């Protein structure tokens, strides 16, 4: 009997991870060599420990243990409070799931409802999912199972960590100590704790296996641009045409120098010659220092690319020749399209590459497209340093200044124009995607594959291919000529809310409600990157023109910059107070623009982040400061739904006016 008690106690301690306790027992055994091979424990003490372990099954132990920890954390010093409060959320949800696992359903519900208000601000969506876990069988479902099997990473300073250990030892909270030991991974650092605003930089990972994520991020990603692009051809043509001019200018300079020197010998004054300054507002004769596109490596396409018509190629080349080179000193002009009387019904908007067409998806299942060449421009405003034009659109059925597309059986959640503007895709809650012709004003194809609402759809940079994101936790890759998807990308633990193509079309990025961004290989369908750091659902994605960096925006207003090659976060961009619904890079990659529900457009300097990434890549300490905010452009009470740069670097934006 005594041996059974000893084995049970050791098994219990080992199960809870108390290695220090086991070592203490082994040391006690070494002090008494006459004891048996198994750790010797006084029978009375063993029975007391076992009875205590059984007593913790009583729901009151969870309520009491969590309540005491909560009171202690809220009563701690303000300097350490915000770090200690981070411990409460994982303890709360695992206390709840332990009660459910032990079939104390009513007590679990009472515990959940009593303490849920503490966590609703930061974890409302997770709590809504967890609220549906009501029986032990529900714990085997994907979301709850992943929470039970994974650890939460919490960054905490050394002194806060010691305070927590001292509290647990003093109160002998075996229940809470077991949960913390099993489900929390502390990342202890030396020095004073960071400010409360820096908590966003703590990598809190729930429902994901971090070791698997690290392993996936070791895979090679070829992030460069496609070979033989129009930009590359134009650059070569410009360099070839400039060579003779440079040689002739150098010859003229030598002759002028000789003449001036001869004149100086005859008593004239010699003036210093000034070199011709490159005139480059339009960038025709100058190569911008901030343009990283030309320095990106070249890769081969994994998809069969469509052939571009000659007239389209000429038009694009003309746009590239007249492109404005933007930087921190030269900001873009903005043309803002405002929807009137549509705020409650407008779900999404999209703008064609040249701004000539604007689409809106509505809750009444309709898709409307405005031709801006037929709509007068009103209220040209010059209130910002960057010229801003405002185009106003309404939904007056009498005049009908738009083309109406009808076919969906539910609200339209996303719309996107093809690169040439001749097609538009729309996705809906009816789980379908529809392809429309802007020339024929007709529906061409209805793509069925998803089982639930489709939140987002995006054309590839070359057209023909497109990707979709759905409530069914998958993203899918399609081609216009096939009604079935080419690839199904599965791996997210919750809704896939947004999707974005990589610049070279070989990869697709997906943002999810599970707070992660994943990068997928188009050819194999495998996940090659998992980006972890957001604290709420991801709503928007954007790829830099050179293909190395990616930006993601979430529901809390945070924007993250990621280095695709290494899988690491470069810098967080903090400034928005509402959801970040849209992101866009300028054509040369020097600026990032974000649009938010807080009715502002913000311009960020991306050049600094590239320098930080390079210094970290070389093993040097980078600048830890956040990305520099260049300018904030407020709207007239209009949340920003969509942003897009034209090929000439004019920024288009759209949103629905709120009365």
């Amino acid at each position: 009997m005594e041996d059974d008690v000893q084995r049970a106690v050791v098994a219990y301690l080992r199960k809870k991870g108390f290695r220090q306790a086991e070592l203490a027992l082994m040391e006690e055994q070494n002090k008494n060599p006459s004891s048996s091979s198994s750790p010797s424990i006084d029978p009375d003490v063993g029975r007391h420990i076992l009875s205590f372990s059984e007593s913790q099954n009583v729901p009151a132990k969870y309520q009491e243990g969590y309540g005491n920890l909560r009171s202690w954390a809220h009563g701690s010093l303000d300097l350490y409070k915000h770090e200690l409060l981070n411990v409460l959320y994982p303890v709360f949800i695992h206390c709840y799931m332990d009660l459910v696992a032990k079939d104390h359903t009513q007590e679990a519900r009472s515990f959940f409802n009593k303490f849920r208000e503490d966590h609703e601000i930061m974890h409302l969506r997770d709590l809504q999912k967890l609220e549906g876990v009501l029986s032990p069988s529900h714990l085997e479902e994907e979301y709850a199972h992943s929470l039970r099997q994974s650890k939460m990473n919490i960054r905490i300073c050394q002194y806060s960590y010691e305070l927590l250990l001292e509290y647990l030892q003093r109160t002998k909270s075996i229940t809470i100590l077991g949960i913390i030991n099993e489900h929390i991974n502390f990342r202890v650092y030396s020095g004073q704790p960071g400010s409360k605003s820096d908590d966003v930089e703590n990598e809190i990972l729930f429902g994901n296996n971090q070791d698997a994520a690290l392993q996936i991020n070791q895979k090679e990603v070829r992030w460069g641009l496609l070979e033989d692009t129009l930009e590359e051809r134009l650059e070569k043509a410009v360099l070839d045409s400039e060579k003779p001019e440079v040689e002739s200018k150098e010859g003229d300079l030598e002759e002028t120098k000789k003449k001036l020197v001869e004149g100086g010998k005859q008593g004239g004054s010699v003036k210093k010659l000034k070199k011709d300054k490159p005139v480059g507002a339009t960038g025709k004769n100058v190569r911008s220092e901030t343009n990283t596109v030309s320095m990106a490596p070249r890769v081969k396409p994994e998809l069969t690319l469509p052939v571009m018509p000659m007239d389209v190629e000429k038009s694009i080349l003309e746009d590239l020749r007249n492109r404005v080179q933007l930087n921190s000193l030269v900001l873009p002009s903005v043309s803002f399209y405002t929807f009137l009387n549509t705020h409650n019904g407008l779900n999404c908007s999209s703008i064609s590459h040249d701004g000539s067409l604007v689409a809106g998806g509505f809750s009444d299942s309709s898709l409307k497209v405005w031709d801006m060449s037929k709509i007068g421009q009103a209220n040209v405003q010059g209130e910002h340093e960057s010229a801003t034009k405002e185009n106003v659109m309404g939904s007056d059925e009498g005049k009908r200044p738009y083309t109406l597309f009808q076919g969906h059986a539910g609200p339209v959640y996303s719309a996107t124009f093809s690169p040439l503007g001749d097609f538009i895709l729309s996705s809906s809650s009816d789980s379908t995607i529809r392809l429309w012709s802007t020339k024929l004003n007709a529906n061409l194809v209805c793509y069925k594959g998803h089982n639930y609402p489709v939140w987002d759809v995006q054309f590839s940079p070359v057209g023909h291919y497109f990707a979709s994101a759905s409530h069914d936790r998958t993203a899918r890759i399609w081609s216009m000529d096939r009604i079935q998807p080419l690839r199904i990308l599965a791996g997210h633990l919750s809704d896939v809310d947004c999707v974005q193509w990589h610049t070279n079309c070989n990869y697709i990025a997906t943002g999810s409600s599970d707070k992660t961004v994943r990068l997928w290989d188009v050819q194999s369908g495998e996940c090659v990157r998992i980006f972890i750091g957001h604290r709420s659902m991801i709503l928007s994605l954007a790829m830099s023109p050179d293909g190395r960096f990616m930006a993601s925006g979430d529901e809390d207003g945070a924007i993250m910059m990621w280095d695709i090659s290494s899988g690491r976060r470069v810098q967080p961009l903090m400034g928005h107070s509402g959801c970040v619904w849209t992101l866009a890079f300028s054509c040369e990659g020097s600026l990032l623009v974000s649009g938010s529900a807080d009715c502002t457009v913000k311009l960020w300097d991306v050049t600094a982040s590239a320098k930080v990434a390079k210094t970290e890549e070389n093993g040097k300490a980078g600048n830890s400061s956040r990305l520099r905010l260049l300018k904030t452009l407020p709207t007239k009470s209009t949340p920003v739904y969509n942003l897009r740069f034209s090929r000439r670097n004019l920024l288009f934006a759209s949103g629905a006016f709120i009365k």
Side-chain angles (χ1 to χ4, degrees), residues 38 86 139 269 325 415 478 528 594 640:
S38 61
N86 287 337
L139 295 173
S269 60
Q325 295 292 339
W478 312 72
V528 294
S594 57
V640 184

Side-chain angles (χ1 to χ4, degrees), residues 638-657:
T638 304
V640 184
Y641 286 14
N642 186 248
L643 291 168
R644 178 162 195 162
F645 276 97
S646 71
R647 296 192 186 100
R648 300 191 182 195
N649 259 340
L650 172 63
L651 178 60
F652 296 108
S654 62
F657 179 75

Side-chain angles (χ1 to χ4, degrees), residues 314-477:
K314 290 180 180 179
S315 174
I316 294 176
L317 286 172
E318 183 64 23
D319 288 337
L320 296 179
R321 290 190 188 96
N322 291 278
R323 175 180 291 172
V324 177
Q325 295 292 339
L326 302 177
N327 53 50
S328 59
L329 300 177
V330 182
L331 301 182
S333 296
V334 186
S335 181
F336 198 100
Y337 301 116
T338 303
F339 292 82
L340 298 179
N341 305 318
T342 57
H343 175 67
N344 293 329
L346 183 69
N347 295 325
C348 64
S349 67
S350 181
I351 305 170
S352 62
H353 70 92
D354 58 357
S356 61
L357 298 175
V358 179
F362 293 85
S363 297
D364 63 359
S365 308
S366 66
L367 176 71
K368 300 174 183 177
V369 178
W370 283 262
D371 187 343
M372 300 312 298
S373 62
K374 299 177 182 178
I375 298 178
Q377 297 180 351
N379 301 331
V380 179
Q381 300 176 350
E383 58 190 11
H384 308 304
E385 290 179 10
S386 301
T388 305
K389 293 189 295 183
E390 182 179 3
N391 301 278
V392 182
M393 295 168 291
S395 56
D396 187 351
E397 292 294 336
K399 298 180 180 178
R400 183 169 287 187
Y402 54 81
T403 302
L404 178 64
F405 294 97
Q406 291 180 309
H408 282 295
V412 178
Y413 289 128
S414 178
T416 178
F417 283 98
S418 64
L420 306 182
D422 48 352
F423 298 104
I424 184 171
L425 284 166
S426 60
S427 65
S428 169
S429 66
D430 62 10
S431 73
T432 67
I433 303 164
R434 289 183 179 266
L435 177 70
W436 312 83
S437 170
T438 57
K439 294 182 179 179
L440 302 176
N441 295 334
N443 181 215
L444 304 180
V445 188
C446 179
Y447 301 95
K448 298 179 180 180
H450 288 287
N451 301 318
Y452 291 96
V454 184
W455 302 129
D456 193 19
V457 62
Q458 292 293 329
F459 260 114
S460 75
V462 297
H464 187 69
Y465 302 99
F466 60 95
S468 58
S470 172
H471 177 60
D472 62 14
R473 304 180 184 178
T474 68
R476 303 185 187 221
I477 303 172

